[in-house]
Amino acid sequence: MRDSRETSLIKAFVCGYPIKHSRSPIIHGHWLQEFGIDGDYRAVEVAPEEFTGFIARLKSGEAGFAGGNVTIPHKEKAFALADQPDELASELGAANTLYREEGRLKATNTDGYGFLANLDDRAEGWDARRERAVILGAGGASRAVIQAVRDRGFSEIHVLNRTVERAQELADRFGPKVLAAPIAALAERIAGVDLFVNTTSLGMDDDSSIDIDFSAMAPTGLVTDIVYVPLMTPFLIKAQKQGMRIADGLGMLLHQAVPGFEKWFGRRPVVTADLRAKIVADLEKH
Ligand code: ATR
């Protein structure tokens, strides 16, 4: 048995609860192999009551990890326990990427980067017009999307949610370009928009619940969904039928992994068609 403390083996993790469906080990394993790096990236199931201890062992170096990814339900606590969260994570109040550097545990959030990089990659020119966006949902996942769309320079970002108070909280958090509305305002708010993003599980059980006329958007508008199981969500199917340009959400998962890999393993990986095909094949298995 090799002892990681005595070799050059670099170790990183993804932790969550539950964690068994995470595709991150396949993504990072693909890149480790591609670069021929002596590295190890593994899924670690950490129950909520064990998370503080897990982070303490990460900080002390006892766990032997260079860093890792954090997913549901630990993103807020990861931000709170890190020594040095960056500006992105601080505004979101949530971190998905941790790394040890200069004796400190640093934290960032790469979900927004992943969201934008996916669209840049799969829907070139999607941001040519940055006037208005509609984001459906005001949960944990929608925050990084709102931040990213705002930082890309959209003038108006309408956040529509069943519970309008949650949308209003996000409007307050992310500034005057972000406006809250109930889902009932969708038909009116969607007119002429350049971007529509679904961040909810709405429509997954019963697609009759999505009564949206995507063709009311700007003709050059893009419809995307951050849900990637299934790859073609009811929103994307409907938008495509109505002649709109679409981009699925799988690339967000692939691209959000890039900055973490670079921090821990020292090389910047590329999201290729091969990697995407590997993950699509895995999604089809389960
Ligand atoms: P996540 O962190 O994945 O975003 P979440 O915080 O539970 O998960 O948020 C789920 C989002 O989907 C919320 O915007 C939720 O609306 P509420 O804030 O009103 O709960 C939305 N959502 C889930 N099921 C829904 C449904 N059947 N109809 C409308 N919105 C729904």
Side-chain angles (χ1 to χ4, degrees), residues 5-138:
R5 285 164 298 188
E6 289 169 7
T7 69
S8 58
L9 182 78
I10 304 171
K11 286 175 31 176
F13 62 83
V14 57
C15 74
Y17 191 77
I19 197 63
K20 63 175 183 293
H21 295 301
S22 173
R23 268 82 189 190
S24 291
I26 308 176
I27 299 171
H28 290 278
H30 176 89
W31 289 330
L32 285 170
Q33 198 178 21
E34 202 173 70
F35 286 118
I37 292 173
D38 190 14
D40 177 82
Y41 181 101
R42 65 182 57 186
V44 186
E45 188 163 86
V46 181
E49 64 276 14
E50 293 164 1
F51 189 69
T52 304
F54 177 78
I55 293 295
R57 288 190 299 283
L58 170 63
K59 284 186 184 183
S60 69
E62 190 188 328
F65 288 119
N69 287 123
V70 178
T71 186
I72 293 166
H74 301 315
K75 289 183 181 185
E76 286 80 12
K77 199 135 184 222
F79 158 73
L81 294 173
D83 299 318
Q84 200 177 314
D86 70 2
E87 265 181 51
L88 288 171
S90 299
E91 188 183 33
L92 295 169
N96 76 337
T97 302
L98 301 173
Y99 54 101
R100 298 175 72 228
E101 200 174 77
E102 298 155 341
R104 295 168 73 78
L105 184 65
K106 299 191 178 177
T108 187
N109 198 307
T110 66
D111 287 334
Y113 164 80
F115 176 79
L116 295 176
N118 177 42
L119 300 189
D120 291 342
D121 185 22
R122 311 248 330 153
E124 216 190 314
W126 70 276
D127 62 346
R129 241 177 63 124
R130 303 174 188 189
E131 285 169 28
R132 271 187 302 139
V134 162
I135 297 172
L136 197 60

Side-chain angles (χ1 to χ4, degrees), residues 72 136-142 161-164 166 183 199-202:
I72 293 166
L136 197 60
S142 84
N161 200 43
R162 174 176 60 183
T163 315
V164 72
R166 289 185 89 192
I183 290 184
T199 73
T200 73
S201 53
L202 192 57

